[in-house]
Amino acid sequence: MMKKIAMECEVSPFNLESQDQNFLKVPYCIVLMILLLIFSSCSPKIYQKEDYPFYNKSFHLDTSSALRTDGVYVLDHIWTDQNGGTVKQPENHIFYKFYKTGQCNLTVDLSNEIKTGKQYQNVVNRDFDKQSSTLFQGYYKISEPKIIIQRRVTPRKLFEYKYGYLEKDTLIIVKSTIDGRGKFDDKYYTGYYKEYYIFVPLETK
């Protein structure tokens, strides 16, 4: 009997250690799940088409529209009403690409390396090839000659609207704001600031 009791005493510590290990596994799993939730919430969301109120699956740009989709609109100069009217050169190299089905992509060339038509074309084609996994940055709607571009401001989870109008081979943006909800209201088309984008034709997909 004494021998049996001694054996049970020797086994008991192992059982306690095993129980402690099992007990520790539970909070570890919970901590791991919490960390995964935190990382997933911090990762940037890839917005789907349906996340954009401007998205319209039946939209197709009218062939008579002044908006051209066979090239890019490159920011050429900026006008302000300072000193009776001042024209200045943009600080960044920016251009828009519009698609007949309502998508719109904005590219900012921070290195200012895109200069030739072929280089513009390569960037546009690359964005086009990625569309299966990376969505366009925004959508537009048009009421000639007015145009509104809608894009998502990811950190703030808001929509920004760029109000502008079209002239021959020129896109003029007059206001960028989160206000207006994308309505063609005249008050968003009168301002003291204008960005002039000049059309550059390309051979794109």
Side-chain angles (χ1 to χ4, degrees):
M1 176 68 67
M2 293 295 295
K3 184 176 181 181
K4 182 178 180 181
I5 294 175
M7 289 178 64
E8 290 179 351
C9 291
E10 290 177 359
V11 173
S12 179
F14 290 98
N15 291 336
L16 289 173
E17 183 177 355
S18 177
Q19 291 176 1
D20 289 341
Q21 289 177 350
N22 291 332
F23 177 77
L24 290 174
K25 287 180 182 179
V26 175
Y28 174 78
C29 293
I30 295 175
V31 171
L32 182 60
M33 290 176 64
I34 293 173
L35 289 174
L36 288 173
L37 288 173
I38 292 174
F39 288 133
S40 62
S41 63
C42 293
S43 60
K45 176 184 177 181
I46 298 178
Y47 288 94
Q48 304 299 316
K49 296 176 181 179
E50 291 74 16
D51 293 325
Y52 293 85
F54 274 21
Y55 170 67
N56 180 358
K57 64 180 180 180
S58 61
F59 176 86
H60 196 83
L61 185 66
D62 193 284
T63 55
S64 63
S65 174
L67 181 66
R68 297 184 61 175
T69 59
D70 57 334
V72 293
Y73 286 87
V74 182
L75 180 58
D76 182 73
H77 63 275
I78 300 170
W79 179 90
T80 67
D81 71 335
Q82 294 179 347
N83 302 321
T86 301
V87 175
K88 61 180 181 179
Q89 297 301 309
E91 295 180 359
N92 296 315
H93 180 208
I94 300 172
F95 59 93
Y96 279 99
K97 175 70 175 82
F98 294 89
Y99 294 85
K100 294 179 180 179
T101 50
Q103 300 96 333
C104 173
N105 198 30
L106 172 67
T107 299
V108 180
D109 177 23
L110 295 175
S111 59
N112 200 30
E113 294 179 346
I114 305 172
K115 300 183 183 298
T116 67
K118 184 176 182 179
Q119 289 173 325
Y120 280 113
Q121 181 175 325
N122 288 338
V123 172
V124 170
N125 289 346
R126 184 171 65 246
D127 288 338
F128 184 90
D129 291 335
K130 285 181 179 180
Q131 66 176 304
S132 60
S133 57
T134 303
L135 293 177
F136 299 91
Q137 292 187 354
Y139 288 84
Y140 68 89
K141 65 180 181 180
I142 191 167
S143 177
E144 304 279 354
K146 296 177 181 177
I147 186 172
I148 307 175
I149 300 169
Q150 180 189 64
R151 77 178 188 93
R152 191 80 175 183
V153 183
T154 305
R156 300 175 65 186
K157 297 182 179 179
L158 296 171
F159 285 110
E160 179 190 55
Y161 301 96
K162 291 185 178 290
Y163 298 87
Y165 56 92
L166 298 161
E167 293 182 354
K168 182 176 174 55
D169 292 341
T170 305
L171 166 68
I172 305 171
I173 301 295
V174 296
K175 188 180 290 291
S176 297
T177 177
I178 61 173
D179 299 326
R181 296 185 178 181
K183 296 180 180 179
F184 289 103
D185 193 323
D186 288 341
K187 68 180 180 180
Y188 296 112
Y189 291 89
T190 56
Y192 309 101
Y193 175 91
K194 296 179 181 180
E195 296 178 353
Y196 285 81
Y197 293 80
I198 306 302
F199 184 75
V200 176
L202 302 174
E203 294 182 4
T204 59
K205 293 183 179 180

